[in-house]
Each structure stands twice: as C-alpha cells, then as structure tokens.
Amino acid sequence: MDNRADVRDFLATRRARITPERAGLPDFGGSRRVPGLRRAEVAMLAGVSPDYYTRLERGNLSGVSDSVLDALCRALQLDEAERSHLYDLARAASTNPRVRRRPTRQIRPATLHLLEAMTDAPAFVRNGRLDIVAANHLAEALYLPAFQTRVRPVNLARFCFLDPQARQLYPNWEAAADTTVALLRTEAGRDPYDKDLSNLVGELATRSEEFRTRWGAHNVRLHHTGIKTFRHPVVGLLDLNFEAMPMPADPGLTLTAYSAAPGTPTADALRLLSSWAASTNDPALRGSDGE
C-alpha cells in the first residue's frame, strides 16, 4: 500500500483548475484537450523538465526536495491547506510505514479534567478520523443526535453522511459535509497507512454517493477557527464560535471548544442547553456503554 494514487489525483485536480490566463500564460486559442494547464505548462512554471513533472504527477514524490515542492506550490497556486497537504504526501511517500507516527489512543486524566472544567463551553477531543474520544457534558448535549446511538466512539463523519438527523442538526449540511470530507482527506495525506481511516473511507464511499463525490475532489482544509451553526432539537438555532487546537503532547488529537458571543440569543440558548443537560435523564448523556 502506498499513496501514489492520492498524489496523482491531487496534482491532476489542482492542475485542472488553473487556466492559462490565471497562470499568466498566453492563450493561443483553439481547443485544449485537457481542462486547465497542460503538464508541460506546469513544468515550465515550476522550473522543472516535463519528464520530471510527469513522473511526479504519476505519484512519485519520494525524495523530492523542498525547493521543488515550493515550486509546485507556486505553479499550482496552492493555498495554505493544499501546500501542507502536498508536503504531507511527500513526507508519507518517503517514510517507511513501519516507522510511521503512532496516534495517541489513551486520553490522559489531565485532559479529561480540563474538559470537565470547561463547564460553560461545549468541548471535545477528536482524532484524525473524527472519532470523538472524549467530551464534556455540554458537548454531548450539543451533539445529542450523534450520541443517541449506542456505538462508541461517536464518529462525526459517519454521523454526517449516514444519520438522517445530521441534516437537522446542521442547517448548512452541504458546508458541513464539505468540511468533514476535507478533514478526512487531510488526515489521509498525513497517514495513508492508517487502516482504520481506510476502512472508514471505504464504508462511507460504499454507502454514500455524496461522500464518494466529495472524496474524489481531493479538497483539503485547515479547520482551526470559525463559526458553526446548529439547529438543536431542544434549544433551537445556535451560532457558535469554535477553536480547534491540535494537542502537541498527544499527537493526532485535537481539542475543539465552542463559545457564544456575550449578550446574543446564542448565549442565552447555550445557557438553556447547559441547564437542560444538567437535568435530563437522557441515557445518551449519562455515559451509557456502547457496543
């Protein structure tokens, strides 16, 4: 197993979106047999030979220098997330899978204490596959429809594409679906040898055409901060700010926390959600064991 197919498709899809005009190249008219730039044009913009670029686009990034990767980023006009993804693909191509990074599997007690101390903010820890591996009580309440399944850990990608309740919880489901797939694609670039991730992608691609189409687009994204909207079944609409922070002491894990701007209807709804969560007898919020 290697990542040559992912490299090939990523470079090809990035090349296809760049027109000669956008790249600053003359367009001599006539029909073009390929969308976007030709391989020779990318090679010229990157300062490499056409044969060498063809080799790269066939999926062989092993041993490619940073200077060549930088040149490709400029030629293909990659954004920050795409640039990071290309470097991840090159790093994975040059790494023996036997020495790949080992994701953290155990949540440290200090992390659990931190989550529980965040009483006014929904907060959870996820891995790169979007499994929620730990969550405070308010996060479980916020994601109530996802936690109503007995399967643990809750997986946000599986919930998004396979659970009809996701379209109610996420009013802008299309954007949530795009982000979900982009995060999984980003993680696949970091670790193409993650068998659990490969199994998850295979399951979703088999069961969801909407996932399969998005996966084939090879889009990636950095997802560190922003606003996410929920339509909660108990408290209604919530426009929450989020911060997603990688945990350096626990490679592969990310802490996500939500907050509401003071004095807004969302702040009132979040307080109501906290009160409801403290009083509910819903077993989904009482730590029921999964299967």
Side-chain angles (χ1 to χ4, degrees), residues 249-278:
D250 299 307
L253 296 184
T254 297
L255 171 64
T256 299
Y258 292 98
S259 64
T264 62
T266 292
D268 295 336
L270 193 58
R271 282 192 293 271
L272 179 60
L273 180 63
S274 180
S275 298
W276 175 83

Side-chain angles (χ1 to χ4, degrees), residues 193-267:
Y193 306 105
D194 184 336
K195 183 176 180 181
D196 291 333
L197 176 58
S198 297
N199 290 341
L200 174 64
V201 169
E203 175 192 355
L204 295 176
T206 299
R207 300 177 63 185
S208 170
E209 181 178 356
E210 290 168 306
F211 176 88
R212 187 165 58 251
T213 299
R214 287 173 168 83
W215 186 254
H218 285 263
N219 292 327
V220 293
R221 183 173 302 181
L222 299 178
H223 196 61
H224 297 321
T225 187
I227 299 175
K228 188 162 187 175
T229 300
F230 298 84
R231 183 186 291 114
H232 195 272
V234 176
V235 301
L237 283 175
L238 296 152
D239 294 314
L240 294 170
N241 303 308
F242 72 85
E243 299 290 334
M245 298 158 281
M247 303 173 66
D250 299 307
L253 296 184
T254 297
L255 171 64
T256 299
Y258 292 98
S259 64
T264 62
T266 292

Side-chain angles (χ1 to χ4, degrees), residues 60-75:
N60 189 356
L61 285 184
S62 179
V64 175
S65 68
D66 287 353
S67 61
V68 170
L69 292 175
D70 286 342
L72 288 179
C73 291
R74 292 191 297 270

Side-chain angles (χ1 to χ4, degrees), residues 82-104:
E82 292 166 331
R83 177 188 175 89
S84 296
H85 186 60
L86 181 61
Y87 270 80
D88 285 337
L89 291 172
R91 191 176 302 112
S94 303
T95 301
N96 186 326
R98 294 184 179 181
V99 296
R100 69 183 177 88
R101 68 189 179 97
R102 299 293 179 180
T104 300

Side-chain angles (χ1 to χ4, degrees), residues 17-31:
R17 71 183 183 179
I18 306 292
T19 63
E21 180 182 18
R22 180 175 166 183
L25 297 176
D27 187 351
F28 298 106
S31 61

